[in-house]
Amino acid sequence: QVQLVESGGGLVQAGGSLRLSCVASGNIFSINTMGWYRQAPGKQREFVASWTSGGRTNYADSVKGRVTISRDNARNTVYLQMNSLKPEDTAVYYCSAEQFGSTYTYWGQGTQVTVSS
């Protein structure tokens, strides 16, 4: 079992920055991939970024160049640094984790990001 708790969301003006954090607990040594997804009102949840053991990162085209995912193993935390935010980035952001050898995805409770124009 893995538990995920996000924080760092809020209201920011267009062009501003936010850093989201996700703290993992439980069976953290089994985690292979951690990532971020988002869901805007009336839309499906979509991939934002991921970090895989070994340090490989992947980003959605819509955020590439504006977003950086990183992981602090000592703090069991994954971060999402978001810069040059746009109103279309407004969504609930969810942290995810997948264990080695499993396709099951653990989710956090989500944190709201609102970007005003």
Side-chain angles (χ1 to χ4, degrees):
Q1 290 281 347
V2 174
Q3 295 79 43
L4 304 170
V5 178
E6 304 101 329
S7 61
L11 173 64
V12 64
Q13 288 188 333
S17 299
L18 278 176
R19 188 177 79 158
L20 307 182
S21 300
C22 173
V23 179
S25 61
N27 193 9
I28 59 173
F29 297 105
S30 67
I31 295 175
N32 179 38
T33 301
M34 293 189 73
W36 290 93
Y37 289 71
R38 66 186 182 186
Q39 187 166 18
K43 295 188 176 182
Q44 289 189 329
R45 191 171 297 189
E46 63 176 7
F47 169 78
V48 177
S50 65
W51 183 99
T52 302
S53 60
R56 187 171 71 249
T57 58
N58 193 25
Y59 298 94
D61 288 342
S62 59
V63 301
K64 203 171 290 185
R66 300 188 296 120
V67 165
T68 303
I69 188 170
S70 60
R71 180 167 171 176
D72 184 338
N73 288 327
R75 298 177 185 271
N76 303 323
T77 301
V78 66
Y79 301 99
L80 189 71
Q81 177 67 45
M82 302 188 294
N83 302 321
S84 302
L85 283 163
K86 306 175 182 180
E88 50 264 43
D89 294 318
T90 295
V92 177
Y93 283 70
Y94 296 92
C95 179
S96 69
E98 294 177 359
Q99 297 170 305
F100 287 98
S102 174
T103 57
Y104 181 80
T105 302
Y106 292 92
W107 297 98
Q109 81 287 354
T111 185
Q112 176 71 47
V113 171
T114 302
V115 184
S116 62
S117 57

